[in-house]
Amino acid sequence: MKNILVPTDFSKNCNKAEELGIEMAKLYNSEIHFFHLMKTPVEWVKLDKQKEKQHPETVKQIGIAKAYLRELEKKAERQGLECRTFLKFDGGQANILKHSGHFYHDFIVTGSSGTRGGIRELMGSNVEKIVRKADVPVVVVKDEEVSFPFKDIVFVSDFLQDVSDAFKQVISIAEKCGAHIHLLRVNTQTDFNSIEQGLDPIKEFLKKFPDLDNFSMNVYNEPDVETGINNYLRYKNADLIAMCTHGRTGFLSLFSKSIAEGVTNHSELPVMTIKM
C-alpha cells in the first residue's frame, strides 16, 4: 500500500476517516492524499479574480476548505508522512475516481456523511457509487468509533466463487495489524443446511492459504445475509467488515444490490469492499 486517498467533506465521520487514513499510512509507510470536492454556484475554474468577488460566500467557503486541508497536511507531516491535498470544484463521483486513477491510489478511506439508516451525499457524490466503481479497496467509516490497528476482521462471503485475490488484501491488513480473521458464511432460507455442510466451502477455500493460522470459520443460518452479519456481531467483537464487489454487476451473488447497500448503509462498523 503505497498511496492512500482520503476524500473528505470535513464531516464528523470523515474526520474519523482522516484519522484512520493517517494511521494506515503510518503502518504501511504510505503517502496520503486528502481530497475535497466542492460545489459552486458557477463554473469556478473559469472565473477571473474580479468575477470571483461577485460570490463572496463561495470565496469564504473556499478559504475555509483550504485552511482545513492545510491543517490535515500539517497533521500528516507531523507523523512523518508524505502528504498532498487537493481542492476540486464540482464534477461529482467521476472526479473522485478519475483523481484516484490519475494518482494510482491503491486504497481509499472515506466517511459516510449520513448516520445509520442510509448513506447520504459525500461532496456531491454518493459513497455507494464510489464503493461499487472504485478499482481499489474502499473503507467506509460510519458511526462506530474506529479501533485501529484492527484486531478482529470479519470477511463475509459464500465462498462458492473464487475470492482469493480479495482475501489476499484482507490477509495483508490482518498481518500488518496482528488481527484475527473471522470467515463468515451466511446460509439464507434458499440454502439452509447443516453447519458442517456450510463449513465445507470455507474449508475448500482455505486450502489455497495453507499458511494462514489466525482465523476462525463461522456459518449462520439466517433469513438474510444482513441479519446473519448483525447476529454474528452480537456475540463476536469486530473492528472491520470486509466483503467483495464485482465491477460490472455490482456485488457478488451473495450480495444482491439491496443486501450490499444494506450492509454498507446500516453497519455502524467500518466496511471494506474489494473489487473482484
Side-chain angles (χ1 to χ4, degrees):
M1 193 184 299
K2 298 179 180 179
N3 197 338
I4 296 174
L5 173 65
V6 184
T8 179
D9 62 3
F10 314 137
S11 62
K12 180 180 177 181
N13 284 351
C14 282
N15 295 161
K16 297 177 190 174
E18 295 157 8
E19 294 290 343
L20 176 58
I22 288 174
E23 292 302 315
M24 292 185 71
K26 285 166 57 180
L27 190 65
Y28 281 88
N29 194 27
S30 303
E31 186 170 324
I32 187 167
H33 293 181
F34 295 103
F35 179 97
H36 181 66
L37 186 62
M38 185 173 176
K39 284 189 174 182
T40 55
V42 293
E43 197 167 356
W44 197 258
V45 293
K46 292 187 177 181
L47 295 187
D48 57 33
K49 293 295 182 183
Q50 196 62 35
K51 290 183 179 179
E52 286 181 1
K53 294 179 182 178
Q54 299 174 14
H55 305 275
E57 187 59 33
T58 302
V59 172
K60 178 182 177 181
Q61 292 303 316
I62 289 173
I64 292 171
K66 286 181 176 179
Y68 196 99
L69 288 170
R70 281 196 296 271
E71 285 304 310
L72 284 175
E73 185 174 27
K74 290 177 184 177
K75 183 182 292 187
E77 289 176 346
R78 284 195 294 267
Q79 300 293 328
L81 298 173
E82 291 288 330
C83 178
R84 297 181 66 180
T85 62
F86 301 86
L87 176 61
K88 300 293 183 181
F89 303 103
D90 294 324
Q93 158 249 341
N95 250 10
I96 294 175
L97 297 181
K98 183 178 179 181
H99 177 87
S100 180
H102 179 75
F103 284 94
Y104 301 103
H105 298 111
D106 44 28
F107 212 90
I108 297 175
V109 182
T110 191
S112 164
S113 298
T115 55
R116 69 191 69 176
I119 288 180
R120 299 173 187 165
E121 293 293 299
L122 170 71
M123 305 164 293
S125 164
N126 189 282
V127 172
E128 190 272 337
K129 291 180 181 177
I130 297 173
V131 165
R132 180 176 296 177
K133 295 183 178 181
D135 289 326
V136 299
V138 179
V139 170
V140 179
V141 177
K142 298 297 293 300
D143 292 338
E144 193 79 11
E145 288 299 321
V146 180
S147 176
F148 190 84
F150 302 126
K151 293 304 178 187
D152 291 277
I153 301 173
V154 179
F155 181 69
V156 189
S157 176
D158 58 10
F159 299 98
L160 298 177
Q161 302 186 54
D162 187 3
V163 293
S164 300
D165 288 341
F167 190 57
K168 289 174 184 176
Q169 300 270 9
V170 176
I171 291 175
S172 172
I173 292 177
E175 289 180 343
K176 278 284 187 181
C177 294
H180 183 92
I181 301 175
H182 306 255
L183 296 98
L184 175 62
R185 171 184 164 90
V186 180
N187 294 328
T188 61
Q189 291 175 327
T190 58
D191 61 354
F192 270 12
N193 53 39
S194 69
I195 298 301
E196 190 58 40
Q197 286 176 312
L199 286 172
D200 288 341
I202 305 179
K203 292 177 179 178
E204 188 65 28
F205 172 74
L206 286 174
K207 290 179 180 178
K208 301 174 184 177
F209 303 94
D211 296 329
L212 185 67
D213 55 10
N214 194 9
F215 71 92
S216 60
M217 299 181 292
N218 307 273
V219 175
Y220 270 44
N221 284 321
E222 298 287 355
D224 57 75
V225 174
E226 188 174 351
T227 299
I229 295 172
N230 290 336
N231 285 340
Y232 180 76
L233 293 174
R234 288 182 182 179
Y235 304 102
K236 300 289 184 179
N237 292 325
D239 308 309
L240 179 71
I241 301 170
M243 54 189 184
C244 303
T245 69
H246 195 293
R248 291 188 300 275
T249 58
F251 290 77
L252 287 172
S253 59
L254 172 63
F255 301 108
S256 71
K257 182 172 180 290
S258 59
I259 293 172
E261 288 178 352
V263 173
T264 309
N265 285 350
H266 300 143
S267 171
E268 297 179 19
L269 290 172
V271 177
M272 180 171 76
T273 56
I274 309 144
K275 185 175 179 180
M276 292 290 294

